[in-house]
Amino acid sequence: MAIPNLDAFQVIADPNRRQILRLLTQDSYNINSLSENFNMSRPAVSKHIKVLQMAGFISIQEIGRERFCTLSKEGFIEIRNWMDYFDTFWNSKMKNLETILNQQKNPN
């Protein structure tokens, strides 16, 4: 469930949304509890939560009248894939450097 014209990096570009994600690594929170950690209105926090939910970074579970937010792996997949690409790139470069250094060390 992606947001049109908004990729994962745009979603996490906002420092408030990154802070919400950090908080959710500790526990699940209801929206009121999350709001207490920010110097903004509850509706503003709710908008950030909606963006994170639509991008797959969090899920919301209704328990009674409360809505609890928890982390969801789906939103992080695009970021992980991007990072994996560059990990492979740099590992390849380091392997090439290792080969060159070994050849210089042992010119036989």
Side-chain angles (χ1 to χ4, degrees):
M1 173 189 286
I3 300 171
N5 301 320
L6 192 62
D7 69 19
F9 293 97
Q10 291 171 309
V11 172
I12 64 168
D14 185 280
N16 294 307
R17 290 194 284 265
R18 289 193 308 269
Q19 182 61 25
I20 291 170
L21 293 173
R22 281 188 201 101
L23 287 167
L24 292 175
T25 64
Q26 299 167 12
D27 200 358
S28 64
Y29 287 90
N30 65 28
I31 295 172
N32 287 332
S33 296
L34 281 170
S35 297
E36 293 171 2
N37 292 282
F38 296 93
N39 203 11
M40 67 177 90
S41 68
R42 185 189 180 285
V45 172
S46 291
K47 286 181 183 181
H48 286 297
I49 290 169
K50 185 67 172 172
V51 169
L52 289 167
Q53 180 189 22
M54 291 178 64
F57 284 94
I58 65 172
S59 61
I60 297 177
Q61 181 182 11
E62 292 188 27
I63 301 174
R65 294 183 352 203
E66 296 289 334
R67 298 176 70 216
F68 285 87
C69 304
T70 57
L71 287 178
S72 174
K73 188 176 180 180
E74 181 184 334
F76 294 93
I77 293 171
E78 181 180 351
I79 294 168
R80 179 77 257 164
N81 289 342
W82 189 84
M83 291 176 62
D84 286 346
Y85 174 84
F86 285 97
D87 282 346
T88 301
F89 170 81
W90 286 114
N91 287 336
S92 171
K93 294 294 184 187
M94 295 305 288
K95 185 68 176 161
N96 290 342
L97 177 60
E98 180 183 25
T99 301
I100 291 168
L101 292 174
N102 285 337
Q103 287 172 350
Q104 289 178 350
K105 191 166 132 180
N106 303 315
N108 296 343

